Amino acid sequence: HDTLTGLPNRAGLQKQLVAELQLARDNKSKGAILFIDLDDLKTINDTMGHSAGDEVIITTSRHIVAIMGKKAFVARIGGDEFVVILPGCDDKAMISDLADIAIQALSQEYLIAGKHLHMSASIGIALYPKDSSTIEDALKNADNAMYAAKRAGRNCWRFYEPSLQEEAFEKIVLTNSLRRALVQNEFSLYFQPVASTHGSRIVGFEALLRWKSPEHGNVPPDRFIPFAEQSGLILPIGNWVLQESCRFARQIADLGFSHLHISVNISPRQLAADDFVATVRASIARAGIDARQLDLEVTESTLISSMEESVDKLIKLRNLGVNVALDDFGTGYSSLTYLRRLPVNTLKIDKSFIDTILDDATQLRFVGFIIAMAHSLDLTVVAEGVENKEQLTCLAQVGCDCIQGYLFSPPVPESEAILKLR
C-alpha cells in the first residue's frame, strides 16, 4: 500500500491486474482501466513545496475513491498518477459518463496552505481484453490514452485507439532528436512584425521558434513544443529563445530602433522555475538592452495553476521595465475574473475571435467590448491573425491598437525582419 494515501501501490495494482486479466482470458471477466494524471502538480511542488503537493494528492485520492464506487479498484502508482480498474464494465457510454463526472470533480480549486489553487486532471481509458491482454499492454495503452487527453488540452478524457501507439513512438523519437537539436544548432528564430492599426508602423516583433531537423525536416512548433514541455527540455530551449531574442533586440537598437519591443512566449515550466526572474535579468544584462525592449507573452493557462506565485514573478519583472502580454485572450474560461489582478501591459486577442468578425456582427461587437474593457485598464490591444484589409478596417473602427498577421507580414528570418525595418 501507498503510505501517503493508504491506497494500493504499484505492486498491489499488478497483483490485482494479474488476477483480473486471467479471468478475462478465461472469458469470465471484462472491464476498463482508467489512468488518471493530475495536470501541473509539478508546478505546485516547485512553487509551494512537496507538502502542498501531498495535500493535493491526498484530497484527489479521496475524490477518486468516492466517484468510482465500491466495485472499483483504485491504486496510486507514484507521483500524481492513479490507476482505476472497473471490473465487469466495458460499456463505453457508461464509462464516458463516469469519466465526465471524474473530470468535473477533479477540476476545482484546492485550498492549500491558505491559498486557492486550481487543479484539473487528464484521464486515459483502455478496455480489456479488447485493447490488451497483458499487464504491460493494459497500462501502456491507458497511459497513451491519457497523454492523448493531455494533448487535447488537458482537463478531459480519451479512449485508447491503436493509432496512439504510433503517436507514442513518434514522441520517443522526436524527444530524442530534441535533446540533440540545441547542441547541434538546429533551432532558429523567425520574427513576425506587430504593426499599428493606423498607419501600419512596425511597433515590435514576436519571436517564433523554428526547428529544422536533419532527420525530420521542418518540424512545426505545435508538434514538438508539447514533447519539449513533457520532457523538461523546454527549459534550456526557452532560455535559448530568450537569449537570442534579447540579442536581436540589441541588434535593432544599434540600428536606431531601440523603441521597438521583442515579444517572447514563456511556457508554464519556465515561469514555474525558481530562477526564472534571474534568468530574464541575466539575458537582458548579457545583451545590454533596455528592459522595456522585452515583452514576455504568457497565456492564462500558464498563470492559472499557481496564480499568486506567477503574479509575484511578473510584478518583479515589470518593475524592471519588462512588459507583460496576455496571449490568446478569450480562450480561457476565467479571463475576466483574473484580468484585473494580472500585471499585464498588453492584451492579445486570439485569432479565433478575429476570423469571424466580417460575417458575424455580434462577434465584432464582442471584440469591441474586449478592446474597450482593456483600454479602461490602460492596456494596449493587439489583434492576432489579421489576414485582410476588411478585418483591419473593422478593427480600426472598434479602436484596436495593433495588429499581427499575414496581412502585414508572415514570420520571417532575422535578416528579412531587419530589411523590413530599413
Side-chain angles (χ1 to χ4, degrees):
H1 281 74
D2 169 48
T3 55
L4 181 63
T5 63
L7 294 174
N9 58 17
R10 186 180 290 272
L13 172 67
Q14 288 186 327
K15 183 178 179 181
Q16 186 72 18
L17 274 174
V18 167
E20 190 62 30
L21 292 176
Q22 183 58 55
L23 289 173
R25 282 191 289 271
D26 295 338
N27 294 319
K28 294 180 180 178
S29 183
K30 57 186 177 181
I33 296 169
L34 281 65
F35 199 113
I36 303 175
D37 183 90
L38 294 179
D39 300 327
D40 292 326
L41 183 71
K42 185 181 185 304
T43 304
I44 303 295
N45 288 330
D46 290 345
T47 57
M48 298 187 64
H50 286 269
S51 59
D54 287 349
E55 285 189 56
V56 173
I57 289 170
I58 293 168
T59 305
T60 299
S61 69
R62 292 171 181 161
H63 285 316
I64 294 172
V65 170
I67 294 160
M68 296 299 165
K70 295 180 179 179
K71 292 184 179 180
F73 181 91
V74 182
R76 178 189 175 221
I77 61 172
D80 55 357
E81 297 177 336
F82 299 84
V83 173
V84 180
I85 304 175
L86 297 176
C89 181
D90 67 345
D91 184 312
K92 280 194 168 185
M94 290 179 60
I95 296 168
S96 298
D97 290 341
L98 188 61
D100 280 335
I101 294 169
I103 289 294
Q104 290 172 17
L106 298 176
S107 177
Q108 59 173 285
E109 282 197 346
Y110 291 72
L111 182 61
I112 305 295
K115 297 180 180 179
H116 290 277
L117 306 172
H118 187 273
M119 294 294 297
S120 62
S122 300
I123 302 176
I125 308 165
L127 305 179
Y128 66 87
K130 178 186 175 184
D131 294 332
S132 45
S133 57
T134 67
I135 293 176
E136 182 182 27
D137 285 346
L139 292 176
K140 180 180 66 178
N141 292 343
D143 186 41
N144 286 340
M146 184 273 294
Y147 275 108
K150 295 273 191 189
R151 290 192 297 275
R154 305 185 174 195
N155 194 31
C156 64
W157 55 265
R158 288 292 183 270
F159 277 103
Y160 167 77
E161 300 290 345
S163 61
L164 295 179
Q165 293 283 56
E166 297 176 16
E167 292 179 21
F169 181 72
E170 179 192 50
K171 174 187 173 183
I172 293 171
V173 171
L174 279 180
T175 301
N176 286 336
S177 297
L178 272 172
R179 295 185 191 281
R180 300 188 296 269
L182 198 55
V183 177
Q184 296 177 354
N185 297 316
E186 296 172 12
F187 291 119
S188 64
L189 290 185
Y190 273 48
F191 297 91
Q192 185 170 36
V194 178
S196 63
T197 304
H198 300 282
S200 296
R201 290 180 301 105
I202 293 179
V203 298
F205 292 91
E206 180 178 354
L208 297 164
L209 182 61
R210 296 293 183 262
W211 178 24
K212 186 175 183 180
S213 165
E215 184 180 358
H216 309 290
N218 291 316
V219 187
D222 60 359
R223 189 174 163 210
F224 72 82
I225 291 294
F227 298 149
E229 282 277 356
Q230 293 162 19
S231 64
L233 291 169
I234 196 67
L235 292 176
I237 293 172
N239 289 344
W240 179 86
V241 171
L242 188 60
Q243 291 169 17
E244 286 295 294
S245 298
C246 289
R247 181 192 59 76
F248 178 68
R250 173 75 267 168
Q251 188 174 358
I252 63 173
D254 290 342
L255 294 172
F257 299 101
S258 59
H259 60 288
L260 302 186
H261 57 81
I262 308 301
S263 299
V264 180
N265 292 284
I266 300 300
S267 78
R269 293 190 72 160
Q270 281 180 280
L271 186 56
D274 290 338
D275 63 348
F276 176 68
V277 175
T279 298
V280 176
R281 273 202 196 106
S283 297
I284 292 170
R286 188 180 295 113
I289 62 172
D290 188 321
R292 288 173 294 184
Q293 283 184 261
L294 182 64
D295 277 15
L296 300 181
E297 293 195 11
V298 293
T299 61
E300 185 186 13
S301 60
T302 301
L303 298 171
I304 200 74
S305 60
S306 184
M307 178 65 71
E308 293 183 23
E309 187 76 20
S310 299
V311 167
D312 181 59
K313 291 177 180 177
L314 294 176
I315 287 174
K316 289 177 180 177
L317 289 170
R318 198 171 71 166
N319 288 341
L320 289 176
V322 174
N323 294 305
V324 179
L326 189 61
D327 197 14
D328 300 338
F329 182 80
T331 58
Y333 60 89
S334 55
S335 298
L336 296 177
T337 306
Y338 290 104
L339 185 57
R340 288 188 63 189
R341 293 178 54 193
L342 301 179
V344 299
N345 310 85
T346 303
L347 209 63
K348 301 191 77 171
I349 302 177
D350 188 68
K351 179 181 184 299
S352 60
F353 283 79
I354 308 304
D355 286 342
T356 56
I357 59 173
L358 296 181
D359 307 315
D360 187 342
T362 301
Q363 183 78 327
L364 179 59
R365 286 196 299 272
F366 187 65
V367 168
F369 160 73
I370 293 174
I371 293 168
M373 177 193 63
H375 285 168
S376 73
L377 297 173
D378 295 323
L379 303 179
T380 299
V381 181
V382 178
E384 297 182 291
V386 180
E387 297 180 349
N388 56 62
K389 290 182 179 179
E390 291 77 15
Q391 289 175 331
L392 174 60
T393 299
C394 288
L395 289 166
Q397 289 172 351
V398 292
C400 187
D401 302 298
C402 301
I403 64 161
Q404 182 177 343
Y406 276 61
L407 170 64
F408 192 76
S409 173
V412 295
E414 182 177 308
S415 58
E416 288 187 38
I418 291 172
L419 283 176
K420 284 183 179 293
L421 286 178
R422 286 175 167 161

